[in-house]
Amino acid sequence: MSNPPNIMLSGLARRLVLDGLLDETAAKEAVRTTQQAKTPLARYLVDNKLAKARDVAVAAAEEFGDPLLDLTAIDLASLPKDLVGEALITKHHVLPLMKRGSRLFIAVSDPTNLQALDDIRFNTGLNTEAIVVEEDKLGQAIEKFLSQSESKAFEGLDDELENLETEAGGDEPGGGNDTAGSDDAPIVKFVNKLLLDAVKGGSSDLHFEPYEKSYRVRFRTDGMLHEVTRPPVAMSAKIAARLKVMANLDISERRVPQDGRIKMKISKTKAIDFRVNTCPTLWGEKIVLRILDPDSAKIGVEMLGFEPHQKELYMAALDKPQGMLLVTGPTGSGKTVTLYTGVNILNEVHRNISTAEDPVEINFEGVNQVNVNPKQGMDFAAALKAFLRQDPDVILVGEIRDLETASIAVKAAQTGHMVLSTLHTNSAPETLTRLRNMGVPSFNIATSVNLIIAQRLGRRLCENCKAPQDIPPEALLKMGFNEDEIGTFTVYAPVGCERCKGGYKGRVGIYEVMKMTDAIQRIVMEEGNSIQIADQCRKEGFNDIRRSGLNKVKMGLTSLAEVDRVTSGH
């Protein structure tokens, strides 16, 4: 058994240990965990069944001198409904009990949550006082209190929602003719509002998540998920039905995943597509929407974030009449945008361009796009075979997943076609060994691949609030900087302001661009490993992901912490 954390107990944890209600080792571990996660100790102890809710409440009341109340004795209908907003109640897990003059009494399970009292005091202008209650009863009371004011969850929506048009983007017959979920005007406005907010906020994904006692909506912005609202749990089925109607899905089918699309017309000239996926979970259907903005594919190569020599290599590879250009990286690293930018550059009247994607994310005028559908026999390999009989110049394969697809793509690249595709590997050198492990002969790899791009997306520092950070030279050396670089640049750190989220706004690409040189070709043909290829890349001046990230730090575009997060291990 590991040694207990070296933590001095105080407050509630110390009281529970002294009263014999909690083991000291468990208490120290709980304190350490809640401090790191910034979550209330009382809720952690009860949720993880380390202590009884009643014992925690009694100990907290005695330790901090606050009154103790049994919430079951309170009529929830009599609680003040307009003083504290739903967002504050759910954020801080508290409940307004009563107002007496300029004092507002707040039910809390953790009296040390001073931030909650301060936030409510600021928003209401009233003096706040804590009343200790049991954690489990508080959670139940909050859910009931919020469900009573369900109709108010949809108030104050923007006037622009009245003219917002949405339509299903898919062709599959679904439950669109069923009006269930579509007649509820508040639900319609609420969902439209969320979609509009996500687009305005630059989010990439929306998550609608049902749980046993709560319902959560989260947006992914700049690569990080954050919670935006918690509608009443009773609304989960209606929200799911509304989203499925919009995507032309079968609302009566809740046992299997479904895929669809929504097109939202923001104005006469602007429309946004959403890719919709439903997944049955324990407490209902989780629905995730991916925002597909056509403008993201037309941002231009200058905006991707390539360093000057990397951009030259990319443009030179696109200019070649044949060969393979591969982009690699984890899900959400921006591979699609990089490929689409290349397709947009190549999209001229004298070229025949065909793409096989799973699914097609953004529509291109002048590009023949195919949705891969393995169930109907149209997988990547089948699509590639069809393309080669259609006089192609440029072929985009969404992903090389197996030997058959890889072999056809390699042969196409060797016979006068430009082939663009992606693989899931961590670095450019590993991509070459990955192809060999699939079964592609080393000679074919060496003679067909022109360029490999490995990439990540890091959050960009907010220009309005970023601040210089004083970091010791030893720490910079450990991060990977050279001695001659130390002192020649300023490291910036995130601060946070009203214009950004936590000190970051937008994202910046971090790239490893590897050209297939004669020396690298020889290593591949001799069946060398990825370490040997990486060593040769360094000799030829191709920066790896880590080095490219450090260059972004030197340019003041992102922070050391962010580079360490997205390039850890490189």
Side-chain angles (χ1 to χ4, degrees), residues 370-386 389 404-405:
V370 172
N371 252 329
V372 170
N373 190 340
K375 291 181 181 178
Q376 297 179 354
M378 177 60 86
D379 56 13
F380 284 120
L384 263 176
K385 289 177 183 176
R389 294 191 291 270
E404 186 181 10
T405 306

Side-chain angles (χ1 to χ4, degrees), residues 460-469 490-497 500 503-504 552-559:
R460 187 186 293 266
L461 284 168
C462 174
E463 292 294 332
N464 186 56
C465 66
K466 68 179 183 181
Q469 187 177 19
T490 302
V491 177
Y492 289 92
V495 177
C497 65
C500 65
Y504 296 98
K552 293 293 192 293
V553 172
K554 289 174 64 176
M555 296 164 66
L557 296 176
T558 190
S559 67

Side-chain angles (χ1 to χ4, degrees), residues 209-436:
E209 302 169 312
Y211 299 99
E212 182 181 11
K213 297 180 179 179
S214 63
Y215 188 78
R216 179 172 69 176
V217 181
R218 292 188 294 173
F219 291 173
R220 187 180 294 278
T221 308
D222 297 337
M224 306 294 284
L225 280 169
H226 63 278
E227 186 175 307
V228 292
T229 184
R230 279 184 178 259
V233 70
M235 306 301 301
S236 62
K238 294 181 180 179
I239 293 173
R242 173 58 189 164
L243 288 168
K244 290 168 75 173
V245 166
M246 293 170 73
N248 201 29
L249 301 178
D250 185 353
I251 65 171
S252 65
E253 179 56 79
R254 302 183 182 90
R255 298 164 297 175
V256 297
Q258 296 186 68
D259 290 289
R261 290 173 79 102
I262 297 171
K263 181 181 287 291
M264 185 171 76
K265 296 179 181 177
I266 297 177
S267 65
K268 291 182 179 179
T269 58
K270 177 76 170 176
I272 301 288
D273 283 348
F274 296 83
R275 191 178 73 208
V276 183
N277 175 264
T278 72
C279 181
T281 66
L282 195 59
W283 305 108
E285 288 180 288
K286 173 172 179 175
I287 300 180
V288 176
L289 278 63
R290 165 66 58 89
I291 299 177
L292 308 174
D293 187 352
D295 293 341
S296 66
K298 302 174 183 177
I299 59 174
V301 69
E302 296 81 9
M303 299 297 293
L304 288 176
F306 284 123
E307 295 170 29
H309 68 285
Q310 293 176 333
K311 175 189 167 187
E312 290 174 11
L313 291 173
Y314 181 52
M315 296 301 293
L318 290 175
D319 201 40
K320 291 188 175 182
Q322 69 179 54
M324 188 179 288
L325 191 159
L326 298 173
V327 182
T328 181
T331 300
S333 60
K335 300 188 297 295
T336 301
V337 171
T338 300
L339 282 179
Y340 276 0
T341 300
V343 169
N344 197 47
I345 292 170
L346 295 171
N347 188 13
E348 297 180 0
V349 70
H350 62 272
R351 287 194 181 97
N352 177 21
I353 303 176
S354 297
T355 76
E357 304 170 64
D358 184 19
V360 172
E361 294 198 1
I362 295 172
N363 300 325
F364 272 102
E365 184 74 26
V367 176
N368 309 291
Q369 297 173 277
V370 172
N371 252 329
V372 170
N373 190 340
K375 291 181 181 178
Q376 297 179 354
M378 177 60 86
D379 56 13
F380 284 120
L384 263 176
K385 289 177 183 176
F387 291 164
L388 291 174
R389 294 191 291 270
Q390 295 237 322
D391 184 31
D393 295 301
V394 179
I395 297 172
L396 185 151
V397 187
E399 183 182 350
I400 294 177
R401 298 173 179 171
D402 51 56
L403 176 58
E404 186 181 10
T405 306
S407 298
I408 300 171
V410 165
K411 289 174 184 175
Q414 291 174 326
T415 55
H417 308 97
M418 166 64 71
V419 179
L420 311 175
S421 191
T422 71
L423 277 90
H424 282 283
T425 57
N426 289 325
S427 67
E430 289 176 32
T431 303
L432 296 173
T433 56
R434 168 75 174 137
L435 285 171
R436 189 196 308 143

